[in-house]
């Protein structure tokens, strides 16, 4: 039997600091949960850009977004994302980060990197996000914002993806298995 490190995929040619996989998708698709479980399975670290942002700001992503506004938030997010592309392991991009990470994602893919778009339907994603979840998607009308953001960003997610996995009717372990098959 192999150990997790023997099964670890190799990073793109940029070097040992590059992620072995990047997960993108809308809120509620399971990026964080899948990223954490897959990283543990592969024996590599995970970097979740939303978690890094929250840690650096010493407040939730939603609070930071509200406190500084979207433009300044995206500036902070861009710096975190740029740093994250230099880290090894599994990279989980916040749902809106893909808008400012186009050049990074293109270069990563050109170097042989794997980008998996975890998709989710509105009906499956909303309960996962929860109406009281501390995420920016819950500002205003959650359904309308979720739907609008998903539709606006879906072409970006799909355009950068080397694989698309619809997580709507799947359990977390099923999604991890499917993503794992893409990177092995």
């Amino acid at each position: 039997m192999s150990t997790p490190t023997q099964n670890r995929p190799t990073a793109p040619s940029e070097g040992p600091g590059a992620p072995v996989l990047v997960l993108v998708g809308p809120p509620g698709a399971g990026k964080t949960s899948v990223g954490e479980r897959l990283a543990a399975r592969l024996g590599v670290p995970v970097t979740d850009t939303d978690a890094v942002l929250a840690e650096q700001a010493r407040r939730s992503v939603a609070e930071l977004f509200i406190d500084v506004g979207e433009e300044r938030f995206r500036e902070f997010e861009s710096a975190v994302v740029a740093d994250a592309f230099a880290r090894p392991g599994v990279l989980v991009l916040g749902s809106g980060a893909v808008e400012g990470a186009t050049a990074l994602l293109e270069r990563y893919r050109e170097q042989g990197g794997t980008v998996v778009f975890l998709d989710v339907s509105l009906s499956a994603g909303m309960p996962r996000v929860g109406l009281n979840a501390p995420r920016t998607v819950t500002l205003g009308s959650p359904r309308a914002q979720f739907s609008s953001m998903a539709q606006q960003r879906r072409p970006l997610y799909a355009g950068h993806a080397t694989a698309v996995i619809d997580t709507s009717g799947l359990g977390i372990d099923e999604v991890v298995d499917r993503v794992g098959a893409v990177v092995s």
Side-chain angles (χ1 to χ4, degrees):
M1 184 170 158
S2 317
T3 64
T5 55
Q6 289 173 320
N7 293 329
R8 181 176 32 214
T10 57
S13 60
E14 188 170 294
V20 296
L21 166 74
V22 177
L23 295 174
V24 298
K31 299 179 302 292
T32 297
S33 298
V34 169
E36 289 171 352
R37 288 195 189 183
L38 187 61
R41 182 184 289 182
L42 296 172
V44 299
V46 62
T47 301
D48 183 321
T49 59
D50 280 350
V52 173
L53 259 173
E55 182 180 322
Q56 288 181 358
R58 295 191 171 130
R59 54 190 150 183
S60 73
V61 169
E63 291 169 330
L64 179 62
F65 189 92
I66 291 167
D67 291 348
V68 302
E70 185 170 7
E71 185 177 332
R72 188 76 175 121
F73 175 85
R74 295 297 175 204
E75 290 173 14
F76 292 142
E77 182 180 58
S78 291
V80 167
V81 169
D83 178 63
F85 268 96
R87 295 183 183 190
V90 174
L91 172 55
V92 177
L93 289 184
S95 61
V98 70
E99 292 176 306
T102 297
L104 291 167
L105 285 162
E106 286 174 1
R107 185 171 70 233
Y108 176 75
R109 289 242 358 241
E110 287 170 1
Q111 294 169 345
T114 302
V115 179
V116 177
F117 168 20
L118 297 184
D119 200 2
V120 66
S121 67
L122 178 63
S123 61
M126 282 304 299
R128 294 178 186 176
V129 172
L131 298 178
N132 295 322
R135 298 178 186 210
T136 56
V137 74
T138 62
L139 300 175
S141 169
R143 283 195 182 277
Q145 287 198 13
F146 182 94
S147 179
S148 175
M149 284 190 311
Q151 292 308 314
Q152 177 185 356
R153 295 174 182 160
R154 184 164 271 111
L156 292 172
Y157 299 141
H160 293 299
T162 51
V164 179
I165 299 171
D166 186 345
T167 68
S168 299
L170 302 176
I172 187 73
D173 290 329
E174 293 172 292
V175 178
V176 172
D177 289 344
R178 291 184 187 194
V179 175
V182 171
V183 295
S184 47

